Amino acid sequence: MHTFKLHQAWVLPCLAIALGAVDARGQSGGEWKIHDPYRSEPKVVSPGALNLPAAPPSDAIVLFDGSDLSAWRHELGGPAGWKVENGYMEAVGGSGSIRTAQGFGDIQLHMEWATPAIVRGSGQGRGNSGVFLMGLYELQILDSYENDTYADGQAASLYGQYPPLVNASLVPGAWQSYDIVFRRPRFATDGNLLEPARMTVFHNGVLVQNNAELKGPSGWLMHLPYEEHAPRQPILLQDHSAPVRFRNIWVRELPETEPPGPARVSETPAMPLDADIVERYVGRYRAGSVTVAHVFRDEEQLYIDVFDDDNVLALIPHSPTEFSFPWTEGRVDFTLDDEGVPTAIRIRTSGIDASGERAP
């Protein structure tokens, strides 16, 4: 959990929600209220055996390997004030949250963490921390093993927004893992939101957030609206006065692909074939006893069934001998006799390079 200052711009919308129609279960507008005690807590599941620490893949950026905090800074700048020992770093109460020196956008993030083995406190006062993607969007860290609290504030919740699908927490002191896939929000040139942030999370190998659409930055007691921000921002680990430990933190930057552009156009334009010419291509083409292709027509459109496997593709003519497919990369070439009648076929697509003679 993270405390935000109360800005005047957020007060009126929150008052409007508070004064709106609220039913007996504390819902407003058909949605759960933030930190609603009536909201059902996720069922408890026991994760399978974990193989920790998980080795980073070859393209990962290692943010903490157990040796030092060179990749981290105090949240306000300057050196990170957490301690490092025995291959882990530990939050030091009052030292402040820490953030990565590098900013990130779309990522896969792996981290391992452990709450104190000696249990002190209850609810949100027990082993509390959090990881904030882009410094704004929190995945809660908490000792949620036999520890009651509001559902959207337990371990693996998207704080104040979505409880985890299940509670996969281990006993206090045990090393646990988060594997996170994060897609940052997209903003238009005028600053308006085009696409909200999304997060998928595995807690100890168990899916707990499934491509969840965040309503905005994480906030305590209120939903904060999206505001345009840089496409790359640091990852933040929260100091919530509990000595939570972290180790083996690595990240993979994901390609921020744009929507696909128009299909590649063949260099040779399509050409129509007269109905009487289309009929010439119809038939079976064989290599020995094997049917390489069955070519047939539906009105003036030619189709091909390769190897008689019922996977039928349309044929687009570019010349009397050269054809392509409308959606699949590849080409079909016919050999013609002196009268323009096909005598053989060659098909090249999807790893196939097959030829056949036209059957009588």
Side-chain angles (χ1 to χ4, degrees), residues 285-288 290 292-293 343-347 354-359:
Y285 298 79
R286 293 192 175 102
V290 176
V292 172
T343 60
I345 194 171
R346 183 180 181 187
I347 306 162
S355 299
E357 302 291 327
R358 183 170 185 169

Side-chain angles (χ1 to χ4, degrees), residues 1-4 35 97 124-125 128-132 138-142 150 152-154 157 159-160 218-221 236 238-240:
M1 182 272 286
H2 195 64
T3 303
F4 287 81
H35 314 325
S97 301
Q124 294 291 299
N128 195 321
S129 183
V131 53
F132 288 75
E138 182 185 13
L139 178 65
Q140 173 75 316
I141 292 173
L142 192 75
Y150 42 85
D152 61 8
Q154 74 169 61
S157 65
Y159 187 78
S218 303
W220 181 50
L221 304 181
L236 183 142
Q238 185 184 38
D239 168 24
H240 202 280

Side-chain angles (χ1 to χ4, degrees), residues 113-130:
W113 53 275
T115 58
I118 299 175
V119 176
R120 293 188 175 90
S122 61
Q124 294 291 299
R126 189 168 137 182
N128 195 321
S129 183

Side-chain angles (χ1 to χ4, degrees), residues 86-105:
N86 301 320
Y88 60 80
M89 62 173 161
E90 182 176 296
V92 175
S95 66
S97 301
I98 63 174
R99 61 168 176 82
T100 57
Q102 183 175 347
F104 299 96

Side-chain angles (χ1 to χ4, degrees), residues 247-266:
R247 72 178 188 189
N248 192 27
I249 305 175
W250 48 262
V251 64
R252 295 181 61 248
E253 295 188 285
L254 303 178
E256 299 195 1
T257 55
E258 297 296 325
R264 181 169 64 87
V265 178
S266 172

Side-chain angles (χ1 to χ4, degrees), residues 4 38 57 72 88 102 104 120 193 227 252 325 334 353:
F4 287 81
Y38 291 101
W72 298 84
Y88 60 80
Q102 183 175 347
F104 299 96
R120 293 188 175 90
L193 181 70
E227 294 184 0
R252 295 181 61 248
F325 306 115
F334 289 92
D353 189 343

